[in-house]
Amino acid sequence: MTKTDSNLWQSSCEEVVSALPLDGDLKVDLAIVGGGFTGCSAALEAASSGAKACLMEAHEIGHGGSGRNVGLVNAGLWLPPESIAEILGAAEGSRLTGHLANAPKRVFDLIRRHGIACEAVNKGTLHCAHSEVGFEDIADRFRQQAALGAPVKLLDAAETQQRTGSPVFHGALFDGRAGTINPLSYCRGLARAAEAAGARLCANTPAIGISRTGDGWKVATPGGAVTARALLLATNAYHEPVEGISTPQTVPVHYFQVATVPLKGGHSDCILPGGEGCWDTALVMSSFRRDAAGRLALGAVGNLGGVGGSVHRGWAQRMIRWLFPALGDVGIEHAWCGRIAMTGDHLPKILAIGPNAYACFGYSGRGIGPGTTFGTLTAQALLKDDPSLLPLSPGEHHGESFSGLRSAYIETGAVLTHAVKVRG
């Protein structure tokens, strides 16, 4: 296997954005901390509306989960609509579900409008049933989505094999709204568009202190300070300690991916011929898709950089052979890993961290659609001082008990599963 930090999206990213460290003091309407999907979407929305915005990223734009994502542009969350409504209540659940049902359209519209070069393929996704129980799960999800008018279709095993090229699944749920992208290219394309609209982007600019100043906020960095009327904290799973602001509470979960050499001709032509992206119903979930060059990218829960890294690598090779036996042994060209910010109820959060200030986090592995939606709508809400524009009512507190132990438990389960069998 190749080294752990060989990120496919980094090597194939076509978008370039110039973002120098902050040097001096700046006064804006909206200060944004975090340069991922949420932060870049917020900066683009603010600048496009004529507001002054400054985005500060501790590393490079897209350094965190946005640059390590699987690249599936999904509608909705891991939870089906009825479960969301049960947790949030009917009205609030419908509000969130409605916004996220429209998330793929929002993403692909932004890609088209700003000419973002990110290998965008809007041909749907397949939620694949790894067992009979898994098929019962996707059948229920189909019922719920169809009741809301979603363009979904329940596929039997034969059609699933035809669409995926794999004989192992019991069926699949096809969602025509969804698709795939190079997530790092998309993130940097959003940033490039935001900069063109007038936003100030500051990479390698960690926020070291956040405080109230008058009727606004002050974000201190090593190179200067940004004062603003409104503040958005958009660090999600890659939050670094900042004096004056509590760390958003989540359960960090690692997700790794490997990518093969480009597959061309022969049996490879039967693998995802329609261009869908896939994930399965297994307890230790896995995903697979292809990129523009024909590589097969396979992902799963697990930390390649941890003690179980070699187990995860071995599993990935076995999984590819099991999914697509006709391929035989195929070379692995890339391997990389990222962090997901999970929450106990698997729902994203918006916290009111002070007057005219919000923190958005906890997408639980669904970063692209929700991140874009939350960033865009939160920027609108902050600039117009109108919380009703948010996709979710803000809370004032959110805690996660024993997050470190729960994270270790998930990783241990992934290692044990990957050590003894192909699917979870």
Side-chain angles (χ1 to χ4, degrees), residues 315-340:
W315 169 87
Q317 291 181 311
R318 298 195 314 275
M319 183 67 166
I320 291 173
R321 289 195 298 268
W322 181 68
L323 284 172
F324 307 108
L327 285 180
D329 290 324
V330 62
I332 301 297
E333 195 173 61
H334 298 274
W336 69 103
C337 194
R339 288 199 303 274
I340 294 169

PDB file of all heavy atoms in Angstrom, residues 315-340:
ATOM      1  N   TRP A 315      -7.823  -4.955   5.053  1.00  0.00           N
ATOM      2  CA  TRP A 315      -9.252  -5.101   4.781  1.00  0.00           C
ATOM      3  C   TRP A 315      -9.620  -4.446   3.455  1.00  0.00           C
ATOM      4  O   TRP A 315     -10.408  -5.001   2.672  1.00  0.00           O
ATOM      5  CB  TRP A 315     -10.065  -4.460   5.907  1.00  0.00           C
ATOM      6  CG  TRP A 315     -11.523  -4.338   5.591  1.00  0.00           C
ATOM      7  CD1 TRP A 315     -12.497  -5.269   5.793  1.00  0.00           C
ATOM      8  CD2 TRP A 315     -12.175  -3.219   4.962  1.00  0.00           C
ATOM      9  NE1 TRP A 315     -13.715  -4.794   5.351  1.00  0.00           N
ATOM     10  CE2 TRP A 315     -13.544  -3.546   4.835  1.00  0.00           C
ATOM     11  CE3 TRP A 315     -11.727  -1.973   4.522  1.00  0.00           C
ATOM     12  CZ2 TRP A 315     -14.462  -2.664   4.275  1.00  0.00           C
ATOM     13  CZ3 TRP A 315     -12.634  -1.092   3.949  1.00  0.00           C
ATOM     14  CH2 TRP A 315     -13.991  -1.446   3.838  1.00  0.00           C
ATOM     15  N   ALA A 316      -9.074  -3.258   3.176  1.00  0.00           N
ATOM     16  CA  ALA A 316      -9.413  -2.541   1.957  1.00  0.00           C
ATOM     17  C   ALA A 316      -9.080  -3.364   0.716  1.00  0.00           C
ATOM     18  O   ALA A 316      -9.873  -3.440  -0.227  1.00  0.00           O
ATOM     19  CB  ALA A 316      -8.684  -1.197   1.913  1.00  0.00           C
ATOM     20  N   GLN A 317      -7.928  -4.019   0.725  1.00  0.00           N
ATOM     21  CA  GLN A 317      -7.555  -4.851  -0.419  1.00  0.00           C
ATOM     22  C   GLN A 317      -8.486  -6.051  -0.559  1.00  0.00           C
ATOM     23  O   GLN A 317      -8.905  -6.412  -1.664  1.00  0.00           O
ATOM     24  CB  GLN A 317      -6.103  -5.300  -0.274  1.00  0.00           C
ATOM     25  CG  GLN A 317      -5.107  -4.148  -0.426  1.00  0.00           C
ATOM     26  CD  GLN A 317      -3.672  -4.602  -0.316  1.00  0.00           C
ATOM     27  OE1 GLN A 317      -3.306  -5.320   0.621  1.00  0.00           O
ATOM     28  NE2 GLN A 317      -2.846  -4.181  -1.260  1.00  0.00           N
ATOM     29  N   ARG A 318      -8.838  -6.672   0.579  1.00  0.00           N
ATOM     30  CA  ARG A 318      -9.763  -7.802   0.528  1.00  0.00           C
ATOM     31  C   ARG A 318     -11.155  -7.362   0.079  1.00  0.00           C
ATOM     32  O   ARG A 318     -11.835  -8.068  -0.668  1.00  0.00           O
ATOM     33  CB  ARG A 318      -9.856  -8.483   1.892  1.00  0.00           C
ATOM     34  CG  ARG A 318      -8.556  -9.083   2.403  1.00  0.00           C
ATOM     35  CD  ARG A 318      -8.782 -10.057   3.557  1.00  0.00           C
ATOM     36  NE  ARG A 318      -9.673  -9.583   4.577  1.00  0.00           N
ATOM     37  CZ  ARG A 318      -9.325  -8.809   5.612  1.00  0.00           C
ATOM     38  NH1 ARG A 318      -8.058  -8.393   5.728  1.00  0.00           N
ATOM     39  NH2 ARG A 318     -10.213  -8.445   6.515  1.00  0.00           N
ATOM     40  N   MET A 319     -11.573  -6.185   0.538  1.00  0.00           N
ATOM     41  CA  MET A 319     -12.901  -5.681   0.208  1.00  0.00           C
ATOM     42  C   MET A 319     -13.020  -5.417  -1.294  1.00  0.00           C
ATOM     43  O   MET A 319     -14.056  -5.738  -1.912  1.00  0.00           O
ATOM     44  CB  MET A 319     -13.181  -4.395   0.991  1.00  0.00           C
ATOM     45  CG  MET A 319     -14.567  -3.817   0.786  1.00  0.00           C
ATOM     46  SD  MET A 319     -15.867  -4.892   1.461  1.00  0.00           S
ATOM     47  CE  MET A 319     -17.273  -3.768   1.450  1.00  0.00           C
ATOM     48  N   ILE A 320     -11.998  -4.856  -1.888  1.00  0.00           N
ATOM     49  CA  ILE A 320     -12.042  -4.609  -3.330  1.00  0.00           C
ATOM     50  C   ILE A 320     -12.166  -5.920  -4.097  1.00  0.00           C
ATOM     51  O   ILE A 320     -12.950  -6.036  -5.048  1.00  0.00           O
ATOM     52  CB  ILE A 320     -10.792  -3.815  -3.770  1.00  0.00           C
ATOM     53  CG1 ILE A 320     -10.842  -2.386  -3.214  1.00  0.00           C
ATOM     54  CG2 ILE A 320     -10.689  -3.776  -5.304  1.00  0.00           C
ATOM     55  CD1 ILE A 320      -9.581  -1.589  -3.441  1.00  0.00           C
ATOM     56  N   ARG A 321     -11.401  -6.938  -3.666  1.00  0.00           N
ATOM     57  CA  ARG A 321     -11.485  -8.246  -4.330  1.00  0.00           C
ATOM     58  C   ARG A 321     -12.856  -8.869  -4.150  1.00  0.00           C
ATOM     59  O   ARG A 321     -13.370  -9.530  -5.061  1.00  0.00           O
ATOM     60  CB  ARG A 321     -10.395  -9.183  -3.789  1.00  0.00           C
ATOM     61  CG  ARG A 321      -8.987  -8.833  -4.216  1.00  0.00           C
ATOM     62  CD  ARG A 321      -8.026  -9.988  -3.960  1.00  0.00           C
ATOM     63  NE  ARG A 321      -7.923 -10.327  -2.554  1.00  0.00           N
ATOM     64  CZ  ARG A 321      -7.010  -9.812  -1.729  1.00  0.00           C
ATOM     65  NH1 ARG A 321      -6.117  -8.940  -2.190  1.00  0.00           N
ATOM     66  NH2 ARG A 321      -6.978 -10.176  -0.460  1.00  0.00           N
ATOM     67  N   TRP A 322     -13.459  -8.678  -2.973  1.00  0.00           N
ATOM     68  CA  TRP A 322     -14.773  -9.260  -2.694  1.00  0.00           C
ATOM     69  C   TRP A 322     -15.871  -8.548  -3.487  1.00  0.00           C
ATOM     70  O   TRP A 322     -16.765  -9.180  -4.055  1.00  0.00           O
ATOM     71  CB  TRP A 322     -15.049  -9.173  -1.197  1.00  0.00           C
ATOM     72  CG  TRP A 322     -16.358  -9.764  -0.779  1.00  0.00           C
ATOM     73  CD1 TRP A 322     -16.711 -11.085  -0.795  1.00  0.00           C
ATOM     74  CD2 TRP A 322     -17.500  -9.053  -0.276  1.00  0.00           C
ATOM     75  NE1 TRP A 322     -17.994 -11.240  -0.326  1.00  0.00           N
ATOM     76  CE2 TRP A 322     -18.499 -10.007   0.005  1.00  0.00           C
ATOM     77  CE3 TRP A 322     -17.749  -7.714  -0.014  1.00  0.00           C
ATOM     78  CZ2 TRP A 322     -19.744  -9.657   0.515  1.00  0.00           C
ATOM     79  CZ3 TRP A 322     -18.994  -7.361   0.499  1.00  0.00           C
ATOM     80  CH2 TRP A 322     -19.972  -8.324   0.752  1.00  0.00           C
ATOM     81  N   LEU A 323     -15.804  -7.215  -3.530  1.00  0.00           N
ATOM     82  CA  LEU A 323     -16.799  -6.456  -4.272  1.00  0.00           C
ATOM     83  C   LEU A 323     -16.715  -6.727  -5.767  1.00  0.00           C
ATOM     84  O   LEU A 323     -17.737  -6.890  -6.442  1.00  0.00           O
ATOM     85  CB  LEU A 323     -16.605  -4.952  -4.020  1.00  0.00           C
ATOM     86  CG  LEU A 323     -17.070  -4.381  -2.687  1.00  0.00           C
ATOM     87  CD1 LEU A 323     -16.612  -2.928  -2.566  1.00  0.00           C
ATOM     88  CD2 LEU A 323     -18.580  -4.469  -2.535  1.00  0.00           C
ATOM     89  N   PHE A 324     -15.493  -6.768  -6.282  1.00  0.00           N
ATOM     90  CA  PHE A 324     -15.286  -6.869  -7.725  1.00  0.00           C
ATOM     91  C   PHE A 324     -14.260  -7.962  -8.021  1.00  0.00           C
ATOM     92  O   PHE A 324     -13.107  -7.690  -8.367  1.00  0.00           O
ATOM     93  CB  PHE A 324     -14.817  -5.524  -8.282  1.00  0.00           C
ATOM     94  CG  PHE A 324     -15.703  -4.375  -7.908  1.00  0.00           C
ATOM     95  CD1 PHE A 324     -15.287  -3.431  -6.972  1.00  0.00           C
ATOM     96  CD2 PHE A 324     -16.965  -4.249  -8.470  1.00  0.00           C
ATOM     97  CE1 PHE A 324     -16.110  -2.366  -6.620  1.00  0.00           C
ATOM     98  CE2 PHE A 324     -17.796  -3.191  -8.119  1.00  0.00           C
ATOM     99  CZ  PHE A 324     -17.374  -2.249  -7.192  1.00  0.00           C
ATOM    100  N   PRO A 325     -14.653  -9.221  -7.875  1.00  0.00           N
ATOM    101  CA  PRO A 325     -13.704 -10.332  -8.016  1.00  0.00           C
ATOM    102  C   PRO A 325     -13.035 -10.384  -9.386  1.00  0.00           C
ATOM    103  O   PRO A 325     -11.899 -10.861  -9.502  1.00  0.00           O
ATOM    104  CB  PRO A 325     -14.559 -11.572  -7.752  1.00  0.00           C
ATOM    105  CG  PRO A 325     -15.979 -11.128  -7.897  1.00  0.00           C
ATOM    106  CD  PRO A 325     -16.006  -9.696  -7.506  1.00  0.00           C
ATOM    107  N   ALA A 326     -13.697  -9.894 -10.425  1.00  0.00           N
ATOM    108  CA  ALA A 326     -13.104  -9.954 -11.762  1.00  0.00           C
ATOM    109  C   ALA A 326     -11.883  -9.063 -11.899  1.00  0.00           C
ATOM    110  O   ALA A 326     -11.052  -9.269 -12.792  1.00  0.00           O
ATOM    111  CB  ALA A 326     -14.144  -9.564 -12.810  1.00  0.00           C
ATOM    112  N   LEU A 327     -11.743  -8.078 -11.001  1.00  0.00           N
ATOM    113  CA  LEU A 327     -10.587  -7.184 -11.075  1.00  0.00           C
ATOM    114  C   LEU A 327      -9.302  -7.877 -10.645  1.00  0.00           C
ATOM    115  O   LEU A 327      -8.209  -7.487 -11.063  1.00  0.00           O
ATOM    116  CB  LEU A 327     -10.801  -5.943 -10.188  1.00  0.00           C
ATOM    117  CG  LEU A 327     -11.749  -4.865 -10.689  1.00  0.00           C
ATOM    118  CD1 LEU A 327     -11.809  -3.729  -9.677  1.00  0.00           C
ATOM    119  CD2 LEU A 327     -11.319  -4.342 -12.053  1.00  0.00           C
ATOM    120  N   GLY A 328      -9.434  -8.880  -9.775  1.00  0.00           N
ATOM    121  CA  GLY A 328      -8.241  -9.506  -9.217  1.00  0.00           C
ATOM    122  C   GLY A 328      -7.523  -8.531  -8.290  1.00  0.00           C
ATOM    123  O   GLY A 328      -8.131  -7.646  -7.693  1.00  0.00           O
ATOM    124  N   ASP A 329      -6.208  -8.683  -8.165  1.00  0.00           N
ATOM    125  CA  ASP A 329      -5.424  -7.764  -7.347  1.00  0.00           C
ATOM    126  C   ASP A 329      -5.119  -6.512  -8.173  1.00  0.00           C
ATOM    127  O   ASP A 329      -4.569  -6.591  -9.266  1.00  0.00           O
ATOM    128  CB  ASP A 329      -4.114  -8.417  -6.904  1.00  0.00           C
ATOM    129  CG  ASP A 329      -4.352  -9.518  -5.882  1.00  0.00           C
ATOM    130  OD1 ASP A 329      -5.265  -9.351  -5.051  1.00  0.00           O
ATOM    131  OD2 ASP A 329      -3.642 -10.534  -5.933  1.00  0.00           O
ATOM    132  N   VAL A 330      -5.487  -5.376  -7.639  1.00  0.00           N
ATOM    133  CA  VAL A 330      -5.294  -4.116  -8.351  1.00  0.00           C
ATOM    134  C   VAL A 330      -4.435  -3.196  -7.496  1.00  0.00           C
ATOM    135  O   VAL A 330      -4.517  -3.214  -6.262  1.00  0.00           O
ATOM    136  CB  VAL A 330      -6.661  -3.464  -8.671  1.00  0.00           C
ATOM    137  CG1 VAL A 330      -7.422  -3.126  -7.403  1.00  0.00           C
ATOM    138  CG2 VAL A 330      -6.496  -2.251  -9.553  1.00  0.00           C
ATOM    139  N   GLY A 331      -3.604  -2.412  -8.135  1.00  0.00           N
ATOM    140  CA  GLY A 331      -2.690  -1.544  -7.401  1.00  0.00           C
ATOM    141  C   GLY A 331      -3.404  -0.413  -6.679  1.00  0.00           C
ATOM    142  O   GLY A 331      -4.366   0.168  -7.183  1.00  0.00           O
ATOM    143  N   ILE A 332      -2.936  -0.112  -5.473  1.00  0.00           N
ATOM    144  CA  ILE A 332      -3.450   1.006  -4.686  1.00  0.00           C
ATOM    145  C   ILE A 332      -2.496   2.183  -4.851  1.00  0.00           C
ATOM    146  O   ILE A 332      -1.302   2.078  -4.585  1.00  0.00           O
ATOM    147  CB  ILE A 332      -3.579   0.641  -3.198  1.00  0.00           C
ATOM    148  CG1 ILE A 332      -4.524  -0.558  -3.022  1.00  0.00           C
ATOM    149  CG2 ILE A 332      -4.067   1.836  -2.394  1.00  0.00           C
ATOM    150  CD1 ILE A 332      -5.940  -0.300  -3.460  1.00  0.00           C
ATOM    151  N   GLU A 333      -3.030   3.301  -5.267  1.00  0.00           N
ATOM    152  CA  GLU A 333      -2.222   4.477  -5.582  1.00  0.00           C
ATOM    153  C   GLU A 333      -2.258   5.539  -4.496  1.00  0.00           C
ATOM    154  O   GLU A 333      -1.309   6.311  -4.326  1.00  0.00           O
ATOM    155  CB  GLU A 333      -2.731   5.077  -6.901  1.00  0.00           C
ATOM    156  CG  GLU A 333      -1.818   6.068  -7.561  1.00  0.00           C
ATOM    157  CD  GLU A 333      -2.327   6.462  -8.932  1.00  0.00           C
ATOM    158  OE1 GLU A 333      -3.448   7.021  -9.020  1.00  0.00           O
ATOM    159  OE2 GLU A 333      -1.614   6.205  -9.922  1.00  0.00           O
ATOM    160  N   HIS A 334      -3.377   5.602  -3.751  1.00  0.00           N
ATOM    161  CA  HIS A 334      -3.541   6.641  -2.731  1.00  0.00           C
ATOM    162  C   HIS A 334      -4.179   6.046  -1.479  1.00  0.00           C
ATOM    163  O   HIS A 334      -4.969   5.104  -1.558  1.00  0.00           O
ATOM    164  CB  HIS A 334      -4.435   7.773  -3.243  1.00  0.00           C
ATOM    165  CG  HIS A 334      -3.895   8.492  -4.428  1.00  0.00           C
ATOM    166  ND1 HIS A 334      -3.021   9.548  -4.325  1.00  0.00           N
ATOM    167  CD2 HIS A 334      -4.104   8.301  -5.750  1.00  0.00           C
ATOM    168  CE1 HIS A 334      -2.708   9.985  -5.529  1.00  0.00           C
ATOM    169  NE2 HIS A 334      -3.357   9.243  -6.417  1.00  0.00           N
ATOM    170  N   ALA A 335      -3.849   6.616  -0.329  1.00  0.00           N
ATOM    171  CA  ALA A 335      -4.495   6.255   0.940  1.00  0.00           C
ATOM    172  C   ALA A 335      -4.467   7.480   1.833  1.00  0.00           C
ATOM    173  O   ALA A 335      -3.420   8.113   1.990  1.00  0.00           O
ATOM    174  CB  ALA A 335      -3.779   5.081   1.599  1.00  0.00           C
ATOM    175  N   TRP A 336      -5.609   7.810   2.433  1.00  0.00           N
ATOM    176  CA  TRP A 336      -5.668   8.995   3.280  1.00  0.00           C
ATOM    177  C   TRP A 336      -6.779   8.830   4.308  1.00  0.00           C
ATOM    178  O   TRP A 336      -7.566   7.903   4.244  1.00  0.00           O
ATOM    179  CB  TRP A 336      -5.865  10.258   2.449  1.00  0.00           C
ATOM    180  CG  TRP A 336      -7.190  10.412   1.774  1.00  0.00           C
ATOM    181  CD1 TRP A 336      -8.234  11.209   2.154  1.00  0.00           C
ATOM    182  CD2 TRP A 336      -7.623   9.774   0.551  1.00  0.00           C
ATOM    183  NE1 TRP A 336      -9.284  11.102   1.269  1.00  0.00           N
ATOM    184  CE2 TRP A 336      -8.936  10.243   0.273  1.00  0.00           C
ATOM    185  CE3 TRP A 336      -7.044   8.854  -0.323  1.00  0.00           C
ATOM    186  CZ2 TRP A 336      -9.665   9.807  -0.831  1.00  0.00           C
ATOM    187  CZ3 TRP A 336      -7.772   8.426  -1.427  1.00  0.00           C
ATOM    188  CH2 TRP A 336      -9.063   8.903  -1.678  1.00  0.00           C
ATOM    189  N   CYS A 337      -6.823   9.748   5.251  1.00  0.00           N
ATOM    190  CA  CYS A 337      -7.743   9.606   6.381  1.00  0.00           C
ATOM    191  C   CYS A 337      -8.212  10.983   6.833  1.00  0.00           C
ATOM    192  O   CYS A 337      -7.494  11.982   6.674  1.00  0.00           O
ATOM    193  CB  CYS A 337      -7.033   8.888   7.532  1.00  0.00           C
ATOM    194  SG  CYS A 337      -8.125   8.292   8.840  1.00  0.00           S
ATOM    195  N   GLY A 338      -9.409  11.044   7.386  1.00  0.00           N
ATOM    196  CA  GLY A 338      -9.944  12.291   7.916  1.00  0.00           C
ATOM    197  C   GLY A 338     -10.787  12.036   9.141  1.00  0.00           C
ATOM    198  O   GLY A 338     -10.990  10.891   9.550  1.00  0.00           O
ATOM    199  N   ARG A 339     -11.277  13.117   9.741  1.00  0.00           N
ATOM    200  CA  ARG A 339     -12.117  13.020  10.937  1.00  0.00           C
ATOM    201  C   ARG A 339     -13.527  13.500  10.642  1.00  0.00           C
ATOM    202  O   ARG A 339     -13.736  14.460   9.910  1.00  0.00           O
ATOM    203  CB  ARG A 339     -11.531  13.851  12.083  1.00  0.00           C
ATOM    204  CG  ARG A 339     -10.281  13.286  12.694  1.00  0.00           C
ATOM    205  CD  ARG A 339     -10.020  13.873  14.076  1.00  0.00           C
ATOM    206  NE  ARG A 339      -9.914  15.322  14.069  1.00  0.00           N
ATOM    207  CZ  ARG A 339      -8.787  15.997  13.820  1.00  0.00           C
ATOM    208  NH1 ARG A 339      -7.669  15.342  13.527  1.00  0.00           N
ATOM    209  NH2 ARG A 339      -8.762  17.309  13.852  1.00  0.00           N
ATOM    210  N   ILE A 340     -14.477  12.824  11.246  1.00  0.00           N
ATOM    211  CA  ILE A 340     -15.893  13.163  11.185  1.00  0.00           C
ATOM    212  C   ILE A 340     -16.323  13.645  12.563  1.00  0.00           C
ATOM    213  O   ILE A 340     -15.931  13.060  13.578  1.00  0.00           O
ATOM    214  CB  ILE A 340     -16.732  11.938  10.781  1.00  0.00           C
ATOM    215  CG1 ILE A 340     -16.421  11.510   9.348  1.00  0.00           C
ATOM    216  CG2 ILE A 340     -18.221  12.205  10.952  1.00  0.00           C
ATOM    217  CD1 ILE A 340     -17.019  10.165   8.979  1.00  0.00           C
TER     218      ILE A 340
END
